[in-house]
Amino acid sequence: GISSDNLKKTDIDRLKKQTEKNLELAFVYENYEKELAKKKSYDFEDMLLELIRAMEEDDDFKLILQESYHYILADEHQDANASQNRILELLADFHDSPNLFIVGDDKQAIYRFQGASLDNFLYFSKKYRDAVVIDLEHNYRSHQGILDASHSLISKNPTIPGHERKKLLSLQMGSTPILITECLTVNDELDLVAKEIESLLSKNIPAREIAVLYRDNKHAKPLSDVLRSHGIAHRIESDNDLLREPDVTKIIILCRAMKDLSDSGALASALFLKELGCDPADVATICNLASREKRPLFEFLKDGNRSKKNKADDNSKSDSTINTGDNSMVNATIQKAYGRIVNWSQESRIIPFANFLQRLIQETGMLASVVSDPNSLERLDSLQAFFDHIAAAARSKKTFYLDDFVEHIDLAREHGLNAKPGHAEHIDGVRLMTAHRSKGLEFSHVFIIHVADGIWGNRSSRNLFSIPLIEHARNVGRIDDERRLLYVAITRARESVHMTYAISNGEKELLPSQFLAEIDRSLIDFDRVEPLSESVLSHPILLRPKPEMRVSILRPDFIRAKFLAQPLSVTHLNNYLKCPWTYFFVNLMRVPQSQNKHQAYGTAIHLTLKAYFDSLREERDLNIKKVLELFKHNIEAQPLAVDEREESLEKGNQALAGYLKAYDSTWNRRLLTEYSIRGIEIKIDEKISLQLTGKIDKIEFIDDHNVVVVDYKTSKPKSRNAIEGKTADSDGNYKRQLVFYKLLLDMDEKFDMKFGEIDFIEPNERGLYKKERFEVSKEEEEELKKVINKMAMEVLSIGFLDSKCDDKDCPYCALGQILKG
């Protein structure tokens, strides 16, 4: 221990505060664990610990796992933490010398903050002394100059005991030095990088083969702004905060206003949004008048937008009258905008937020604005990622309305939780990312920016809690970890590496990272750029006009890549045949789309039937009471309004009870449920293949190979002719679905579908339940192949641009007309 005699009073006070904070942390953590135990839950981060506990306490369970995994390969093992190592150890401890294959690179151990360490990496080589160690000596990616430079850097780190660190030999031809450039300011540095990228692009280097790596996510936006000012297409692949994306911010502003109309600040912010169509000057005038009269903004608007004096002069008129005469203080546009906010506020109290959000995005015109934007792809990607984030949050609660959404956002802000954006994987452009994210990737040309002291190496850290064991683990080898990270960044490159740093960030002087001096001087070219002229320095680079980066969702190469990368399901095909624009926006572009009450009801029915038929297969029959309890649980998990949930529950209870009674004791117990088929390819032409996919509700076995495919329908029973599309009001989707499944199973070759069956879960008008069974012919399969081929060619050639469906009010056809201009 440390004698108090050797400590100053300030040290004693500091230690006392740290101890008090740690005791508070221990109290909170202990109660958090008790609450988890009470709810029979466990933290996501504790999943590995729960597995370890189960394996250590239950020998039978451990033996079952060991019997299942005789050969174990652990890849990227330098990233493993102690828990992952313990799982591997438990899986392998049946044999004294197990079939355990560890793959990793100590030079790339960069995740100490996630619990990884060199000790973890070396654990098994120490435990199994007879293990064979194979050192790889060749590198297929980088040329020799990059390998030698990175080796000279990493050589400053201690080596694994007993293993000499050898130089890797490149399998690539040619070798050039890596380039290091010193700049006067950060603006100069970013501008230099942009110009170098322009030079590479002018030589027809694909933009996706160029990467700019940085140490922290905060470096992304300034870099992006400079690249945008140069008109360089790029995509940020770092974990920026989705909740701060412009379109998402607008939604949050609107929702804050709707939640509390009496909040004048929130209401004013909403009225300033261009989506509401108000003149900002008029909004500012109204806000100023309301403030001068010390009246809430909503009251000022509700009272006909009149001042107290004008209201007194006209007190004979109803407050609800819209005053458009001389006494009116605001034009009708602001009143209309306020009325829309009031209506949305009312609707948001009765409509689950995921459904309401979809409506809000459409009714504000935001979706139309996004798809018509030259940069529509990136905006739509962020909007979809936000919608998915909210849908996931809604699933965690029984009900999720507007108030719950605002509370969710507030909690995220309060605790600094970032929602991760989508990555728009098909956006072609220069790749911007942190060095950590770049691990495992490779590029032709790599720029590493801000290689200054305190950014790369000698980083300061602020820890709210000081726990000795954790602090020791964090601090041991910290500079070695930072050196490994730069090594990883350098070795992402195949052809060139350009590292840059500035000697000033505008506020203070900077020093180059110590790592730059550790690289063998004979392996680098050093350059120092001349500072920009004083007149230019006085004006930020970002004041330049910003050319538009046109990354539209209607770009042919993007649509082609997206279509071929996404397996085609029968639902997608049916949507396309009904309305190509619906398929384009909903299935291909994935615009925000929530489940309606019919879809939510169908989901709950399908989940319930899966559990019921699984129980039959496993000889643990569920009685009707248990099935209805399960259905109640499943319907309560759906994003439904209270009245919709009650309506669906009553409807489902009646339908399921009658359905199970109607077929009681007739079920085939040799079956599979939710059978997925993936990886099936169909030729479109000599060069193009399209993947097909499907999930079959139920497969019943006639014998070991011949099966009946069953598809549940929660609609009212249809006639046989209607199912086949032979009536005036039918589309043939149900029969096409069975033909699609037959095609999949024939190409999969595991089962032979003798019959396809449409099984209606709802009774008809006479209270009878109905199934229709079909035998699918080879001619029908061939005809379906032609339909798929025709659809594929139309999508790949964007031949659907002039298409319109039969619904004159189809929102997606309208969006399509906006998109194509």
Side-chain angles (χ1 to χ4, degrees), residues 242-406:
L242 173 64
L243 301 182
R244 299 192 186 279
E245 292 291 315
D247 290 318
V248 175
T249 299
K250 291 177 183 178
I251 293 170
I252 294 172
I253 289 171
L254 265 176
C255 288
R256 290 194 187 282
M258 288 183 274
K259 179 181 182 295
D260 185 2
L261 294 171
S262 67
D263 185 336
S264 297
L267 182 55
S269 297
L271 291 173
F272 275 113
L273 296 176
K274 68 177 183 180
E275 281 72 15
L276 293 182
C278 302
D279 186 320
D282 290 342
V283 176
T285 300
I286 280 296
C287 292
N288 187 43
L289 287 171
S291 176
R292 277 165 45 193
E293 295 191 9
K294 295 182 169 51
R295 298 169 65 196
L297 183 58
F298 86 95
E299 183 183 296
F300 198 84
L301 295 167
K302 188 175 69 173
D303 285 345
N305 310 320
R306 288 167 292 165
S307 68
K308 291 179 180 178
K309 178 180 182 300
N310 285 335
K311 187 179 178 185
D313 292 342
D314 196 28
N315 57 18
S316 62
K317 296 183 179 180
S318 167
D319 285 351
S320 62
T321 301
I322 297 179
N323 190 327
T324 57
D326 293 338
N327 290 338
S328 176
M329 305 305 296
V330 161
N331 59 40
T333 303
I334 292 182
Q335 273 195 269
K336 181 180 178 182
Y338 173 67
R340 295 176 74 190
I341 294 173
V342 171
N343 289 336
W344 285 328
S345 178
Q346 294 168 348
E347 290 175 352
S348 69
R349 312 294 167 177
I350 58 175
I351 302 176
F353 189 75
N355 303 67
F356 175 73
L357 178 57
Q358 179 187 345
R359 181 181 298 190
L360 185 68
I361 289 170
Q362 292 176 336
E363 292 184 359
T364 55
M366 185 178 292
L367 188 56
S369 169
V370 167
V371 301
S372 60
D373 191 306
N375 197 32
S376 55
L377 181 52
E378 190 172 354
R379 289 182 64 188
L380 187 58
D381 183 66
S382 293
L383 208 55
Q384 179 61 49
F386 172 65
F387 191 85
D388 291 344
H389 172 81
I390 295 306
R395 285 193 294 271
S396 68
K397 300 186 68 174
K398 188 173 180 180
T399 58
F400 195 86
Y401 289 90
L402 174 69
D403 287 0
D404 301 291
F405 166 72
V406 176

Side-chain angles (χ1 to χ4, degrees), residues 2 30 101 209 239 307 326 391 395 398 482 484 506 553:
I2 300 175
E30 181 182 6
F101 187 9
E209 285 295 333
D239 291 338
S307 68
D326 293 338
R395 285 193 294 271
K398 188 173 180 180
E482 288 290 313
R484 290 190 193 98
I553 58 175

Side-chain angles (χ1 to χ4, degrees), residues 106-162:
D106 69 290
K107 302 185 296 298
Q108 299 190 50
I110 60 174
Y111 291 112
R112 185 183 297 272
F113 63 91
Q114 292 182 354
S117 70
L118 198 56
D119 289 337
N120 292 336
F121 180 53
L122 300 177
Y123 179 79
F124 289 105
S125 64
K126 295 176 180 177
K127 181 177 178 65
Y128 303 110
R129 294 292 182 178
D130 59 342
V132 177
V133 178
I134 302 172
D135 290 319
L136 300 185
E137 299 178 353
H138 294 90
N139 178 290
Y140 75 93
R141 175 191 302 141
S142 308
H143 64 62
Q144 197 63 50
I146 293 173
L147 295 180
D148 289 348
S150 60
H151 177 81
S152 70
L153 171 68
I154 204 66
S155 294
K156 308 303 185 292
N157 272 9
T159 59
I160 296 176

Side-chain angles (χ1 to χ4, degrees), residues 18 112-113 116-117 458-463 465-482 484:
Q18 286 179 353
R112 185 183 297 272
F113 63 91
S117 70
N458 298 319
R459 294 166 59 84
S460 60
S461 62
R462 177 175 175 264
N463 298 316
F465 297 96
S466 180
I467 302 173
L469 285 175
I470 295 177
E471 287 303 303
H472 177 73
R474 279 178 178 160
N475 292 325
V476 168
R478 177 177 287 176
I479 195 68
D480 297 342
D481 290 344
E482 288 290 313
R484 290 190 193 98

Side-chain angles (χ1 to χ4, degrees), residues 429-569:
V430 175
R431 314 274 294 277
L432 316 185
M433 66 189 75
T434 62
H436 278 101
R437 183 177 283 276
S438 73
K439 188 171 176 292
L441 303 177
E442 59 183 74
F443 313 93
S444 293
H445 305 276
V446 169
F447 293 84
I448 306 172
I449 62 172
H450 307 324
V451 191
D453 190 63
I455 300 176
W456 293 84
N458 298 319
R459 294 166 59 84
S460 60
S461 62
R462 177 175 175 264
N463 298 316
L464 298 177
F465 297 96
S466 180
I467 302 173
L469 285 175
I470 295 177
E471 287 303 303
H472 177 73
R474 279 178 178 160
N475 292 325
V476 168
R478 177 177 287 176
I479 195 68
D480 297 342
D481 290 344
E482 288 290 313
R483 190 178 284 110
R484 290 190 193 98
L485 183 60
L486 186 57
Y487 171 87
V488 166
I490 292 171
T491 54
R492 297 312 90 199
R494 289 191 290 265
E495 298 178 29
S496 76
V497 177
H498 190 167
M499 293 191 281
T500 63
Y501 66 92
I503 59 176
S504 171
N505 64 5
E507 296 178 358
K508 63 179 182 180
E509 292 186 357
L510 302 174
L511 295 173
S513 167
Q514 72 176 65
F515 301 144
L516 297 180
E518 294 174 355
I519 300 174
D520 188 331
R521 297 290 292 179
S522 67
L523 301 170
I524 63 175
D525 279 343
F526 181 81
D527 191 20
R528 184 179 284 112
V529 299
E530 293 299 321
L532 298 173
S533 66
E534 187 175 341
S535 60
V536 176
L537 279 175
S538 64
H539 300 286
I541 291 171
L542 304 186
L543 293 182
R544 295 174 180 164
K546 297 182 180 181
E548 288 288 350
M549 290 195 315
R550 296 184 175 270
V551 192
S552 168
I553 58 175
L554 209 54
R555 235 179 48 219
D557 59 330
F558 164 68
I559 292 177
R560 180 185 180 87
K562 187 87 169 173
F563 178 70
L564 294 177
Q566 177 177 284
L568 182 72
S569 71

Side-chain angles (χ1 to χ4, degrees), residues 701-716:
F701 288 88
I702 299 171
D703 53 39
D704 289 343
H705 187 66
N706 296 299
V707 299
V708 178
V709 165
V710 180
D711 194 76
Y712 315 130
K713 297 299 178 187
T714 54
S715 62
K716 286 292 183 182

